[in-house]
Amino acid sequence: MNRNLVKELKNYQDPKLSLLKTKEEMFEEGKTKRIISNALKISSNKIAFVETLGGLTIRNYKVVVGEVEYAV
């Protein structure tokens, strides 16, 4: 097999997959905001930022409410 072709195939990213991942991340952020806002009894609009902290099986998030940062 041609090395250039192999390199191209390894670096290929399907635009549909990228869009799907973006939609999934948006859903997760909205879901996480709702869960955190319910737990803290605040409006989800007060949550300024949600970011994944990592982990494959356990989901950990950095959540910013106002100027306070939480790891949940």
Side-chain angles (χ1 to χ4, degrees):
M1 195 177 242
N2 184 339
R3 286 181 184 240
N4 289 334
L5 179 60
V6 171
K7 190 182 285 187
E8 283 181 43
L9 289 173
K10 283 184 179 180
N11 293 328
Y12 177 76
Q13 293 182 347
D14 187 348
K16 292 178 187 173
L17 183 60
S18 177
L19 179 62
L20 180 63
K21 184 170 179 139
T22 302
K23 285 186 176 184
E24 181 179 317
E25 288 170 351
M26 287 172 49
F27 171 77
E28 284 292 321
E29 181 178 346
K31 181 178 159 185
T32 304
K33 280 185 175 183
R34 283 191 302 278
I35 292 169
I36 298 300
S37 66
N38 288 338
L40 296 176
K41 295 182 173 72
I42 62 171
S43 169
S44 62
N45 295 335
K46 291 187 178 186
I47 298 174
F49 186 75
V50 176
E51 176 183 60
T52 57
L53 289 176
L56 295 174
T57 57
I58 299 173
R59 298 282 176 132
N60 297 309
Y61 298 93
K62 174 183 174 182
V63 179
V64 179
V65 179
E67 294 186 16
V68 181
E69 296 181 0
Y70 298 93
V72 294

